[in-house]
Amino acid sequence: MTLLAVERIKLFSTRSPYWCSALALALGVGITAIFAAASDGPIPLGLTQIGSGQLAIAVVLVMAALAVTTEYRFQTIRATFLAVPNRTSALVAKTVVVAFIAALLGEIVAFGSWGVAKLISPESDLAINTAAEWRHVAGIGLIYAFGAVMAVAIGILVRQSAGAIAILLVWQMLAENLIGIIPKAGVKIQAWLPFMNASHFLSMGSDSPEQGGQGVDFKLSEWGSFGYFAGIAVALLVVALVVAKRRDA
């Protein structure tokens, strides 16, 4: 518990968590508000998460990567490893803190977006009744949490803010979508890409804007896709911990 408290204090002693949280909230809620206000009629529940599931998560990935790369940049990671010789414990504690904050932020963004849409478009049927609907909204926090784990792992491996952020943003926002244009094999590959599976987990069907990888034949169920996404994040973290333990700080 002491390590978790220390990592929480270190994280919030910098400005990046505050700015990133504010930006994620603004993007998630703001984009939903724009779409709801511009709609001529009732909006579907899927539209309420159009910002939180696509753009706001990119900001969360940046926040998680900065949580570790900033320490490498200013060499405070050396003091951390001197105080806690077990590097694995220190880095796992950091990951847990960042993932928890990301999950909490994800739920705030998701339900904040849903609430704003309900306020702007009261005639819309935005009740959350089915398991798929709950997964679509409440599942945002789970994706943010394991996305943060993945970002921390990349940060540990790369150790440079610019490099880690570039990898994460290109991977999440560009690379996985571009793979789909590869003739024949593209959609087959997409079915096993992590962020595509994250979008599949959040999907409610063809009427949802969050239906990731349209035309992709996912081999896993929605919860199976989440487990796959979480497994890749944890596997990346394990690799990062092994590398961090073997090289100089």
Side-chain angles (χ1 to χ4, degrees), residues 16-168:
S16 60
Y18 300 101
W19 283 108
C20 289
S21 297
L23 182 56
L25 188 60
L27 283 172
V29 177
I31 291 176
T32 297
I34 291 172
F35 274 83
S39 177
D40 294 330
I43 61 174
L45 179 65
L47 193 65
T48 65
Q49 303 304 314
I50 193 168
S52 58
Q54 294 178 343
L55 292 178
I57 189 174
V59 181
V60 173
L61 295 177
V62 170
M63 179 188 72
L66 288 175
V68 63
T69 57
T70 301
E71 283 214 62
Y72 279 105
R73 177 184 177 188
F74 293 105
Q75 299 300 315
T76 55
I77 196 72
R78 293 183 178 179
T80 298
F81 289 159
L82 285 173
V84 186
N86 188 338
R87 296 184 178 185
T88 299
S89 298
L91 293 174
V92 167
K94 181 184 293 295
T95 305
V96 170
V97 170
V98 173
F100 176 79
I101 293 170
L104 182 61
L105 179 59
E107 298 303 327
I108 294 173
V109 171
F111 284 97
S113 300
W114 173 80
V116 166
K118 197 172 180 65
L119 184 65
I120 295 176
S121 182
E123 73 278 10
S124 300
D125 181 14
L126 299 178
I128 306 175
N129 298 314
T130 67
E133 291 169 344
W134 276 107
R135 187 182 70 247
H136 179 67
V137 179
I140 293 288
L142 293 175
I143 296 301
Y144 280 24
F146 283 96
V149 171
M150 190 179 296
V152 169
I154 297 297
I156 295 171
L157 291 169
V158 178
R159 299 197 292 185
Q160 294 181 348
S161 298
I165 291 172
I167 290 171
L168 288 165

Side-chain angles (χ1 to χ4, degrees), residues 221-248:
S221 65
E222 285 81 1
W223 280 103
S225 287
F226 169 70
Y228 180 74
F229 177 73
I232 290 178
V234 172
L236 271 175
L237 179 63
V238 170
V239 172
L241 294 175
V242 172
V243 172
K245 196 171 182 180
R246 291 184 176 180
R247 70 185 177 190
D248 295 336

Side-chain angles (χ1 to χ4, degrees), residues 194-220:
F195 287 104
M196 282 290 174
N197 277 273
S199 294
H200 182 227
F201 167 68
L202 295 174
S203 68
M204 294 190 302
S206 58
D207 64 327
S208 170
E210 296 300 329
Q211 176 69 10
Q214 292 190 16
V216 178
D217 182 19
F218 290 99
K219 305 301 181 184
L220 303 172

